[in-house]
């Protein structure tokens, strides 16, 4: 089967590679000549794990063009994966999708056979049917359901593992205009997935809500674990890993995204959560659950920085390890590492930062108030304190000797507890693991319960 992918960014280029890997013939379209050229030369237009390799290996089945006509006329189905950036209200803007749909509509006008248009970009409930579908009908002069089909089918992928997630999803989500559209897409996915995952088929609006509900639910789960971590820090011997590992045994809860560490970041979670609040408000529904999650998440970097600052001499040099929002990514959007580094800088500390992928972060464009160094060793040798912001294997492999420098002791703030076993007993290191309490924390509880027990009447059981 021939598929076209409109938008060859992080998601679109990865989908093109995955489809070709599964034997589909793929025509990609982008408005950016550089992306088109890269694909035609078998190279990745964006940085993503395995993308270069998959594109290179399947080169004979992938081509790219600037022309929507060529793509639509040369394929049976088009996936539209263009940006839907958040606007000031928290909603997702349709400006790029509208343009892509009008181009697709014009191409459909020239086509004599049935074509399926699948919107993959994240949109809010109602956007596909009310915002975009009329553009296709107007520009093509054709009728949905009769001449062409429409689905809304977002992907549940994580940056850094897009191709793997795409080929091995938990399920594929299909919002369908009608039975024919949904059945066609379901059969395409059945050929495409490697793990036999089934499809959840539903109306366009239910699928639009499902997509943002999944991400918003996960943000609540992360934030809940972070609240438990903060409570553990105030308990004698408190240990968030002990508590969440037990919670994970309950099948109603499960262990994923329940670590209790820093907040969530990146290009999807924060904005999907805000967008859900926006649409709930428009529907007259109270969304305080999602709003509170967002507020708590945005407060974490400042709170953590306050705790770190209390332990350090003013003006000391602090190394922040990890600037991307997660390991193996170069994306710094809404990253806790960047927020903590900036907040420490504002408090007068000299901050030096390291990230394995800093070369791909366009550091000069960010105007950050801290220094980004190329070498982890250089960062550690200058610093009296170290803050680890992501659970990257590279940081988990550090040992006591790596922290040796001119200072007699080095403070390590291990926000994912990756070095707990290696460093917490070291005499040269003041180790602070997030979500861990100490015996000094006994006092508030003693006060609470001693007060209560003395107030109780003493009865003689005999
Ligand atoms: N990146 C993620 O982790 C992720 C995850 C889930 C969902 N999404 C959603 O997928 C969509 C795309 O995200 P992305 O990260 O791939 O974006 P991106 O910015 O990396 O890529 C978008 C691409 O679309 C191209 N484009 C824009 N208008 C076009 C048009 N009219 N015709 C052809 N090409 C056009 C751009 O040049 C760019 O190459 C967004 O709605 C996003 O919310 C992204």
């Amino acid at each position: 089967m021939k598929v076209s992918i409109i938008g060859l960014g992080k998601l679109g280029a990865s989908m093109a590679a995955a489809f070709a890997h599964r034997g589909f013939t793929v025509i990609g379209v982008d408005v950016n000549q550089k992306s088109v050229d890269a694909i035609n030369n078998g190279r990745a237009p964006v940085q993503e794990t395995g993308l270069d390799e998959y594109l290179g290996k399947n080169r004979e089945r992938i081509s790219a063009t600037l022309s929507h006509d060529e793509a639509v006329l040369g394929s049976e189905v088009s996936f539209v994966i263009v940006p839907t950036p958040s606007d000031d209200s928290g909603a997702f803007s349709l400006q790029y999708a509208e343009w892509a749909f009008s181009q697709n509509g014009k191409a459909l006008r020239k086509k004599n056979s049935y074509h399926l248009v699948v919107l993959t970009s994240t949109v809010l409930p109602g956007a596909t049917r009310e915002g975009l579908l009329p553009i296709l009908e107007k520009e093509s002069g054709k009728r949905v359901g009769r001449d062409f089909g429409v689905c809304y089918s977002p992907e549940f992928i994580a940056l850094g593992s897009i191709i793997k997630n795409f080929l091995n999803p938990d399920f594929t989500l299909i919002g369908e205009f009608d039975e024919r559209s949904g059945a066609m897409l379901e059969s395409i996915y059945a050929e495409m997935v490697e793990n036999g995952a089934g499809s959840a088929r539903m109306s366009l609006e239910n699928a639009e809500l499902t997509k943002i509900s999944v991400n918003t639910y996960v943000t609540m789960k992360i934030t809940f674990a972070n609240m438990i971590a903060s409570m553990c820090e105030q308990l004698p011997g408190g240990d968030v890993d002990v508590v969440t590992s037990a919670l994970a045994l309950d099948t109603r809860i499960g262990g994923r995204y329940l670590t209790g560490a820093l907040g969530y970041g990146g290009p999807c979670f924060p904005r999907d959560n805000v967008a859900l609040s926006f649409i709930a408000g428009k529907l007259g529904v109270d969304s305080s659950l999602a709003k509170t999650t967002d507020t708590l998440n945005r407060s974490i970097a400042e709170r953590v920085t306050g705790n770190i600052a209390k332990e350090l001499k003013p003006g000391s040099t602090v190394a922040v390890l990890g600037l991307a929002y997660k390991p193996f990514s170069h994306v710094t959007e809404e990253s806790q590492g960047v927020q903590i580094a900036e907040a420490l800088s504002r408090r007068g500390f000299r901050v030096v930062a390291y990230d394995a992928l800093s070369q791909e972060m366009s550091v000069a464009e960010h105007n950050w108030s801290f220094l980004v160094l190329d070498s982890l060793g250089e960062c550690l040798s200058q610093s009296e304190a170290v803050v680890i912001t992501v659970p990257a294997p590279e940081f988990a492999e550090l040992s006591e000797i790596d922290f040796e420098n001119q200072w007699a002791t080095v403070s390590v703030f291990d926000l994912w507890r990756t070095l707990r076993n290696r460093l917490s007993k070291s005499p040269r290191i003041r180790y602070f693991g997030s979500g861990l309490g100490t015996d000094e924390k006994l006092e508030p509880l003693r006060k609470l319960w001693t007060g209560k027990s003395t107030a109780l009447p003493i009865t003689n059981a005999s």
Side-chain angles (χ1 to χ4, degrees):
M1 186 175 224
K2 291 182 178 161
V3 305
S4 48
I5 308 278
I6 319 290
L8 297 169
K10 296 179 281 296
L11 204 49
S14 305
M15 260 178 91
F19 267 122
H21 167 72
R22 298 292 287 157
F24 290 78
T25 300
V26 181
I27 311 178
V29 185
D30 206 287
V31 287
N32 184 340
Q33 181 73 55
K34 274 196 191 146
S35 304
V36 169
D37 291 346
I39 295 276
N40 283 332
N41 291 319
R43 282 187 293 105
V46 289
Q47 201 274 329
E48 177 55 34
T49 312
L51 183 56
D52 251 326
E53 189 193 333
Y54 274 86
L55 288 173
K57 267 197 207 151
N58 297 290
R59 220 172 142 176
E60 75 281 2
R61 280 193 294 279
I62 311 179
S63 61
T65 171
L66 291 168
S67 157
H68 285 73
D69 278 9
E70 198 183 314
V72 171
L73 296 173
S75 64
E76 291 139 84
V77 52
S78 300
F79 290 85
V80 180
I81 319 174
V82 296
T84 46
S86 300
D87 64 22
D88 293 343
S89 66
F92 300 139
S93 158
L94 291 182
Q95 56 173 317
Y96 299 99
E98 283 167 357
W99 199 78
F101 269 62
S102 79
Q103 297 303 106
N104 259 31
K106 288 186 175 102
L108 278 179
R109 187 178 278 276
K110 299 170 194 150
K111 188 159 181 174
N112 296 322
S113 53
Y114 184 83
H115 191 87
L116 176 64
V117 180
V118 181
L119 177 65
T120 302
S121 302
T122 309
V123 297
L124 288 175
T128 311
R129 191 187 305 273
E130 304 300 331
L132 298 170
L133 207 163
I135 298 176
L136 278 182
E137 288 197 316
K138 176 171 168 263
E139 297 294 347
S140 65
K142 296 188 171 178
R143 281 249 321 270
V144 62
R146 187 189 64 192
D147 308 313
F148 65 91
V150 165
C151 287
Y152 171 67
S153 182
E155 297 298 333
F156 297 95
I157 52 84
L159 290 180
S161 55
I162 300 182
I163 299 176
K164 188 172 134 225
N165 299 153
F166 187 59
L167 294 170
N168 301 281
D170 288 342
F171 70 109
T172 54
L173 175 62
I174 299 179
E176 58 196 47
F177 174 81
D178 57 4
E179 161 66 25
R180 184 177 180 189
S181 308
M184 183 168 169
L185 186 56
E186 187 174 17
S187 71
I188 292 170
Y189 282 152
E191 292 292 312
M192 191 272 301
V193 299
E194 288 185 333
N195 63 351
S199 294
R201 286 174 58 183
M202 57 191 73
S203 71
L204 296 169
E205 290 75 13
N206 281 330
E208 289 163 330
L209 181 57
T210 302
K211 166 65 184 171
I212 51 165
S213 302
V214 166
N215 281 356
T216 304
Y217 184 84
V218 175
T219 63
M220 289 193 310
K221 196 172 175 189
I222 293 169
T223 306
F224 182 81
N226 288 341
M227 179 185 75
I228 299 298
S230 298
M231 292 176 73
C232 285
E233 287 172 9
Q234 303 307 322
L235 296 178
D239 187 332
V240 67
D241 291 328
V242 169
V243 177
T244 55
S245 310
L247 290 178
L249 298 175
D250 188 318
T251 51
R252 291 170 302 178
I253 300 174
R256 293 184 70 194
Y257 294 92
L258 200 66
T259 303
L262 274 181
Y264 55 83
C268 292
F269 280 167
R271 80 185 198 111
D272 285 5
N273 178 293
V274 171
L276 185 126
S277 298
F278 166 86
I279 196 75
K282 291 289 169 199
L283 298 172
V285 175
D286 181 349
S287 63
S288 28
L289 210 53
K291 279 189 184 134
T292 303
T293 299
D294 184 56
T295 307
L296 287 173
N297 194 62
R298 288 183 195 284
S299 71
I300 290 177
E302 199 48 53
R303 180 174 58 75
V304 166
T305 306
N307 291 342
I308 294 172
K310 272 194 272 179
E311 302 293 338
L312 303 181
K313 289 199 289 289
S316 41
T317 297
V318 185
V320 171
L321 307 187
L323 290 175
Y325 80 101
K326 65 175 186 178
F328 305 113
S329 169
H330 67 288
V331 176
T332 56
E333 210 173 325
E334 304 256 9
S335 137
Q336 299 272 319
V338 170
Q339 289 171 23
I340 289 171
E342 289 283 19
L344 284 167
S345 244
R346 278 198 301 276
R347 285 170 185 255
F349 295 100
R350 176 176 175 269
V351 179
V352 289
Y354 169 80
D355 192 293
L357 295 179
S358 65
Q359 307 284 1
E360 291 163 48
M361 287 176 181
S362 316
V363 169
E365 286 167 25
H366 285 297
N367 217 6
W368 287 326
S369 56
F370 52 88
L371 265 182
V372 181
L373 303 183
D374 289 340
S375 131
L376 175 55
E378 181 58 25
C379 231
L380 296 179
S381 73
Q382 296 187 13
S383 306
E384 201 173 349
V386 177
V387 184
I388 302 174
T389 69
V390 284
E394 184 186 15
F395 304 146
E397 280 162 15
L398 292 170
S399 52
E400 201 178 337
I401 197 164
D402 296 304
F403 294 86
E404 268 179 26
N405 54 26
Q406 56 184 296
W407 285 280
T409 55
V410 171
S411 302
V412 175
F413 300 89
D414 185 7
L415 304 176
W416 289 82
R417 301 174 294 287
T418 42
L419 288 170
R420 182 178 178 181
N421 294 336
R422 289 178 172 219
L423 298 188
S424 58
K425 302 233 159 28
S426 158
R428 272 205 68 250
I429 288 183
R430 294 172 70 216
Y431 180 83
F432 301 91
S434 70
L436 304 177
T438 58
D439 288 345
E440 300 144 32
K441 303 288 186 186
L442 194 58
E443 211 33 49
L445 288 186
R446 186 170 281 161
K447 232 187 237 165
L448 174 68
W449 298 110
T450 314
K452 267 208 173 167
S453 61
T454 48
L456 287 174
I458 300 164
T459 51
N460 190 340
S462 63

